Amino acid sequence: MIACSNFGFDVSDHKAVDPTYGTSEDVRRLVDAIHEKGMRVLFDFIPNHTSDKNDWFIKSVNREDPYTDFYIWRDPKGFDAQNQPIPPNNWLSIFNGPAWRWNEKRRQFYYTLFTAAQPDLNYRNPKVRSAMEDVIQYWLDFGVDGFRVDFPAGIFEDEQLRDNPWVSPESVNSTNYHAQIHTYQYSLDEVAGLAQEWRSLLDRNKQKDGKTR
């Protein structure tokens, strides 16, 4: 129900309700009615990325603090014979093609595991982690009982941005996502630590009123 497009996967405002679902008051009445029936409400939580229409990303493009490093920005590895920027590494998007998108205004690449309109957040920045905890807390205060976390494996990427290995010599330089072994792109150990942080946040809420989240 968060303001978004692409069926909920492009979040433009983490604390607003998409008009498709009505207003915040409509959703509040729905949550209350569900609770009256003894049931619980879980929200689908998309933490890996935002929409490129999100204010965070717009301010990051403009290098406005504290959003400058909210996303994964990198300089080009170099420039080709046509003076086109070369991506920082060989990572591919789940939807095929390079996972790096050039932003002319900032003159850097930003990383996207999914589409160009879904820039990945930089969870190595503690300000991003704090901002997302604030989003979780906002909806807990609203009355939501918990969250289904979408694709948490993709939240962290290799800090050194090492190239992924190819499946076979024949697949080298393919733009097909399945041509690579995504060793450095997701399922990193840091994901478990972040999950513990979010679990602790929910447990602290239970300590306030005894209600399990």
Side-chain angles (χ1 to χ4, degrees), residues 7 10 12 17 19 33 35 41 59 65 87 93 110 128 140 157 159 168-169 177 182-183 211:
F7 304 102
D10 294 356
S12 57
V17 173
H35 285 163
V41 179
K59 290 176 179 179
D65 286 334
S93 159
Y110 64 94
V128 170
L140 291 174
E157 307 78 23
E159 196 166 15
S168 68
Y177 177 77
H182 301 277
T183 306
K211 295 179 182 177

Side-chain angles (χ1 to χ4, degrees), residues 50-52 57 60-61 71-76 87-88 98-104 106-121:
T50 70
S51 165
D52 61 355
F57 186 71
S60 192
V61 169
Y71 298 83
I72 302 167
W73 295 98
R74 290 295 186 276
D75 292 331
W100 296 95
R101 317 290 179 156
W102 179 251
N103 182 272
E104 188 64 32
R106 181 155 164 155
R107 301 292 296 173
Q108 282 187 309
F109 283 100
Y110 64 94
Y111 171 68
T112 64
L113 180 59
F114 295 95
T115 74
Q118 297 170 331
D120 279 46
L121 287 162

Side-chain angles (χ1 to χ4, degrees), residues 135-194:
V135 169
I136 293 171
Q137 187 61 58
Y138 175 85
W139 290 108
L140 291 174
D141 291 342
F142 191 90
V144 171
D145 300 292
F147 303 89
R148 174 260 176 190
V149 182
D150 183 75
F151 199 64
I155 289 175
F156 284 96
E157 307 78 23
D158 180 55
E159 196 166 15
Q160 299 176 48
L161 301 185
R162 287 170 285 188
D163 282 351
N164 282 323
W166 297 94
V167 170
S168 68
E170 293 74 27
S171 67
V172 173
N173 297 324
S174 171
T175 59
N176 187 314
Y177 177 77
H178 298 290
Q180 287 185 349
I181 303 169
H182 301 277
T183 306
Y184 299 113
Q185 216 166 339
Y186 58 79
S187 294
L188 274 66
D189 292 342
E190 292 94 328
V191 174
L194 183 64

Side-chain angles (χ1 to χ4, degrees), residues 83-101:
N83 202 35
Q84 295 300 305
I86 301 170
N89 62 23
N90 72 349
W91 293 354
L92 297 173
S93 159
I94 282 178
F95 297 116
N96 302 319
W100 296 95
R101 317 290 179 156

